[in-house]
Amino acid sequence: MFYTERSKKMKKVLSIMLVLVLVLSMFTACGGGNEEPEATGEGGGPEYTIRFAHIENEFTACAQGVQLFKKYVEEGSDGRIAVEILGSGSMGGEREIIESITMGNLEAGMAMSSLLTTYLPDWNIFDLPFVFKDRADWAAKVDGELGKLLADETSSIHLKVLSYFDGGFRVISNNKRPIVTMDDTKGIKVRVGESTLMIDTEKALGTNPIPMAFGEIYTALQQGTIDGVDTSVVYVMDGNFQEVTKYCSLTNHSALQMVTFINQDYFDSLPEDLQQVILDAAAKTTVEQRQIAVEVDEQAMQVMKDAGMEINEISDDVKQQMIEATKPVAEGYRDQIDPKVFEAAGF
């Protein structure tokens, strides 16, 4: 008898609790709290994640640009997009990064423009010697018809260009002597990137170019395998080459241009409003990154001077001699690059 009455009471309590739960669920579903749902995915997190890979160290202007891109995308999307930065070569070298993005294994990344010439020969225009007079000339051209023509080509390899970042202009750092005249380049073993165009340019300038991966440069300078490096001042500092080289000559013979891009198919799959967020973030980032690049170059040259390096400008007369000496290199690419691209470059 006791067990029966107790059971009845328990059933009644459980029935009341079940009704309360159902009422509360209906109240919540009807928006009883008058709160708007967040523009996020399931579980309150972002709806989309962009994994952005590069090989830079954090202090370079280009790496700082990527951080700005992350900030503006996440703010502009109200948290609907998260940008995960995979820097310092954690996803491999620049070739591996490009391949991963073209295949859709990564969403976005950054690499030197010269790395895209393997797929798109017209992109060699960016590395032709003295095609850009200075930073202002470079910016006007990449933001104009030249940059548009080349960006349009990348869809063929499933890439969409987001921005052209300023990596500075190439200079020659070495242990032999300052380059004051054309004769001063002779016999200097200079490391270059693994690019036929860069090799041909250094040969035209009179040096002995040696292709080599960036990570091998420091030891090669220590051991005397090479005498110098062809790169911009920020990457002299990035590689700590001021510790193992004595002279830096500001030849500024070509732009060291970095490009940020996103997988085209991934970009196209995003809602239109989020596509616009990404484009707006890239445009805003580009302006600020280029300002940072000038500041970082100045900081790099001060670090180099403090380490005891001698930095020298190239006179206008010697610069003109260098332009004349390297003209055959540019002319040699006339049959590889679309005439429209040459025309847009004003070359």
Side-chain angles (χ1 to χ4, degrees), residues 91-157:
M91 298 303 292
E94 290 177 316
R95 288 191 188 279
E96 288 82 7
I97 289 171
I98 292 172
E99 288 171 2
S100 292
I101 298 170
T102 59
M103 295 171 63
N105 296 329
L106 277 173
E107 289 76 39
M110 176 174 65
M112 282 193 300
S113 60
S114 59
L115 272 297
L116 291 172
T117 60
T118 301
Y119 312 94
L120 307 167
D122 284 348
W123 278 65
N124 279 300
I125 195 76
F126 285 132
D127 291 312
L128 291 185
F130 301 105
V131 71
F132 304 114
K133 298 179 180 66
D134 50 32
R135 271 191 159 107
D137 184 50
W138 167 78
K141 288 173 179 174
V142 298
D143 291 342
E145 184 64 17
L146 178 63
K148 183 180 183 304
L149 280 172
L150 296 174
D152 286 346
E153 294 185 0
T154 60
S155 61
S156 65
I157 56 172

Side-chain angles (χ1 to χ4, degrees), residues 16 28 35 50 68 72 85 90 95-96 115 141 144 146 183 202 211 223 254 265 269 280 303 309 316 321 326 344:
I16 293 170
T28 303
E35 293 181 0
I50 297 174
L68 286 172
Y72 293 136
I85 298 175
S90 60
R95 288 191 188 279
E96 288 82 7
L115 272 297
K141 288 173 179 174
L146 178 63
D183 287 339
E202 281 296 337
Q223 296 176 346
S254 64
D265 298 329
S269 73
D280 290 345
V303 168
M309 284 191 77
D316 291 342
Q321 291 173 31
T326 56

Side-chain angles (χ1 to χ4, degrees), residues 35-306:
E35 293 181 0
E36 292 294 324
E38 294 182 359
T40 55
E42 186 178 350
E47 295 177 39
Y48 304 94
T49 298
I50 297 174
R51 292 168 299 164
F52 195 114
H54 65 78
I55 67 167
E56 306 272 315
N57 289 321
E58 291 182 1
F59 63 81
T60 70
C62 293
Q64 291 184 52
V66 176
Q67 290 286 352
L68 286 172
F69 177 73
K70 169 185 169 71
K71 172 187 173 184
Y72 293 136
V73 167
E74 293 181 346
E75 288 179 354
S77 68
D78 292 326
R80 292 172 64 194
I81 303 177
V83 178
E84 180 185 354
I85 298 175
L86 305 169
S88 302
S90 60
M91 298 303 292
E94 290 177 316
R95 288 191 188 279
E96 288 82 7
I97 289 171
I98 292 172
E99 288 171 2
S100 292
I101 298 170
T102 59
M103 295 171 63
N105 296 329
L106 277 173
E107 289 76 39
M110 176 174 65
M112 282 193 300
S113 60
S114 59
L115 272 297
L116 291 172
T117 60
T118 301
Y119 312 94
L120 307 167
D122 284 348
W123 278 65
N124 279 300
I125 195 76
F126 285 132
D127 291 312
L128 291 185
F130 301 105
V131 71
F132 304 114
K133 298 179 180 66
D134 50 32
R135 271 191 159 107
D137 184 50
W138 167 78
K141 288 173 179 174
V142 298
D143 291 342
E145 184 64 17
L146 178 63
K148 183 180 183 304
L149 280 172
L150 296 174
D152 286 346
E153 294 185 0
T154 60
S155 61
S156 65
I157 56 172
H158 307 287
L159 295 183
K160 180 177 180 62
V161 171
L162 294 175
S163 56
Y164 295 108
F165 274 4
D166 183 342
F169 274 71
R170 295 183 182 278
V171 301
I172 300 176
S173 299
N174 80 96
N175 280 319
K176 290 290 187 182
R177 64 187 77 88
I179 296 170
V180 180
T181 71
M182 285 291 288
D183 287 339
D184 292 328
T185 63
K186 299 190 186 312
I188 298 178
K189 295 178 290 185
V190 175
R191 176 270 176 184
V192 295
E194 298 174 72
S195 159
T196 301
L197 176 49
M198 293 179 191
I199 293 170
D200 291 343
T201 297
E202 281 296 337
K203 284 181 178 178
L205 289 171
T207 69
N208 178 17
I210 299 176
M212 184 179 294
F214 191 84
E216 300 172 8
I217 296 173
Y218 190 96
T219 302
L221 286 167
Q222 281 183 313
Q223 296 176 346
T225 306
I226 55 175
D227 303 313
V229 186
D230 172 329
T231 192
S232 67
V233 293
V234 68
Y235 295 105
V236 171
M237 182 178 72
D238 186 27
N240 290 317
F241 304 144
Q242 72 274 4
E243 298 175 354
V244 283
T245 51
K246 298 177 183 178
Y247 310 102
C248 177
S249 301
L250 306 181
T251 51
N252 295 341
H253 49 280
S254 64
L256 200 163
Q257 178 178 271
M258 304 296 288
V259 186
T260 67
F261 37 82
I262 190 168
N263 178 273
Q264 182 75 62
D265 298 329
Y266 177 81
F267 180 83
D268 291 342
S269 73
L270 296 173
E272 288 187 10
D273 63 323
L274 294 185
Q275 290 180 9
Q276 193 59 51
V277 164
I278 290 172
L279 295 177
D280 290 345
K284 191 173 182 180
T285 297
T286 298
V287 174
E288 295 186 34
Q289 189 277 333
R290 293 177 185 177
Q291 294 171 344
I292 294 170
V294 175
E295 297 168 3
V296 171
D297 270 11
E298 292 173 354
Q299 294 168 12
M301 284 195 281
Q302 189 58 55
V303 168
M304 292 158 67
K305 289 175 183 176
D306 291 345

